[in-house]
């Protein structure tokens, strides 16, 4: 709106564009109005608006609730204003930066969950192999497990750890006098 001194070309995502389109007829909107008009998920809209605020395209006025303002999350009453005095040395401005999809803790939990699931898959493979072969040398058991698991390539230490767990659970045992041979226990 209005005649800017210099025109800028924004490269942005569809979601960012839908937010910016809301300011075609009004200079300011509340976060709640944006949420209602765009129908974007609350968490995603929060990230998108904060991104546009960080680029100085929008200005944020935090509305206090009971005299306390929260800096972490956007509130429905927070007022967003289009920055009519936007300036940038670049004519082409890239606003399309990737959103933070997961926190570091969530990523670590996902990796740990995958690791635990893989350990269970390795254990199941060892039990299946030992159940069919009854007795097997350590090197042959390692080779058989690596051959059977096609979805991922397990590491030798992971297989050894699973063998140790299965020995503790009494699924398999070492033969007396032969430390490198395992026997299935029914």
């Amino acid at each position: 709106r209005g005649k800017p001194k210099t025109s800028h070309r924004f490269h942005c995502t569809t979601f960012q564009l839908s937010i910016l389109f809301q300011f075609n007829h009004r200079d300011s909107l509340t976060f709640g109005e944006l949420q209602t008009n765009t129908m974007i998920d609350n968490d995603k809209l929060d990230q998108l608006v904060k991104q546009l605020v960080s680029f100085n395209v929008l200005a944020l006025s935090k509305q206090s609730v009971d005299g306390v303002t929260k800096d972490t999350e956007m509130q429905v009453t927070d007022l967003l204003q289009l920055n009519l005095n936007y300036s940038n040395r670049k004519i082409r401005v890239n606003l399309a930066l990737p959103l933070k999809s997961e926190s570091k803790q969530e990523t670590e939990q996902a990796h740990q969950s995958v690791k635990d699931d893989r350990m269970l898959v390795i254990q199941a493979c060892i039990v299946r192999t030992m159940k069919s072969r009854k007795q097997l040398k350590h090197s042959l058991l390692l080779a058989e497990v690596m051959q059977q698991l096609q979805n991922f390539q397990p590491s030798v230490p992971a297989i050894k750890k699973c063998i140790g767990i299965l020995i503790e659970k009494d699924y398999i045992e070492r033969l007396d006098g032969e430390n490198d041979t395992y026997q299935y226990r029914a």
Side-chain angles (χ1 to χ4, degrees):
R1 296 180 64 170
K3 197 77 168 167
K5 296 174 189 168
T6 336
S7 63
H8 296 284
R9 176 170 274 173
F10 291 135
H11 290 271
C12 55
T13 65
T14 307
F15 287 123
Q16 289 171 328
L17 190 61
S18 68
I19 292 169
L20 292 174
F21 274 153
Q22 301 304 311
F23 292 94
N24 277 349
H25 302 291
R26 293 175 60 187
D27 290 339
S28 62
L29 291 165
T30 64
F31 184 76
E33 290 171 331
L34 264 181
Q35 192 174 20
T36 305
N37 295 346
T38 60
M39 300 172 91
I40 298 174
D41 178 47
N42 191 22
D43 293 333
K44 190 169 192 128
L45 183 63
D46 184 60
Q47 288 182 4
L48 289 164
V49 166
K50 285 180 180 175
Q51 206 173 47
L52 291 172
V53 168
S54 72
F55 280 109
N56 255 353
V57 175
L58 297 178
L60 173 64
S61 299
K62 285 282 201 187
Q63 301 297 318
S64 63
V65 179
D66 298 330
V68 179
T69 58
K70 293 184 179 179
D71 292 331
T72 55
E73 285 187 21
M74 299 287 293
Q75 301 298 317
V76 178
T77 57
D78 289 346
L79 187 66
L80 296 158
Q81 293 179 317
L82 187 62
N83 184 359
L84 298 175
N85 298 321
Y86 179 81
S87 65
N88 196 330
R89 289 181 293 164
K90 297 179 182 178
I91 294 173
R92 297 175 74 186
V93 181
N94 185 14
L95 301 177
L97 296 178
L99 291 178
K100 185 178 178 184
S101 58
E102 289 184 342
S103 69
K104 188 174 182 178
Q105 183 181 9
E106 290 171 336
T107 306
E108 287 177 9
Q109 287 175 344
H111 286 305
Q112 186 61 39
S113 174
V114 168
K115 188 177 178 182
D116 294 343
D117 290 346
R118 286 183 176 181
M119 293 296 273
L120 292 174
V121 169
I122 295 170
Q123 290 176 30
C125 182
I126 293 170
V127 170
R128 270 195 316 271
T129 304
M130 291 303 297
K131 193 172 185 178
S132 66
R133 300 282 179 95
K134 303 296 181 204
Q135 273 189 2
L136 206 56
K137 289 205 173 282
H138 179 76
S139 58
L140 293 174
L141 179 59
L142 287 177
E144 185 76 26
V145 169
M146 287 187 178
Q147 180 199 3
Q148 283 186 21
L149 295 176
Q150 306 267 328
N151 294 343
F152 66 97
Q153 189 64 40
S155 64
V156 174
I159 296 173
K160 287 181 179 181
K161 187 175 182 179
C162 289
I163 290 172
I165 291 169
L166 292 172
I167 289 173
E168 288 176 14
K169 291 182 177 179
D170 287 334
Y171 281 98
I172 60 176
E173 64 183 356
R174 286 191 167 91
L175 282 181
D176 293 334
E178 295 183 48
N179 280 341
D180 68 333
T181 305
Y182 303 106
Q183 180 176 351
Y184 178 72
R185 294 182 65 162

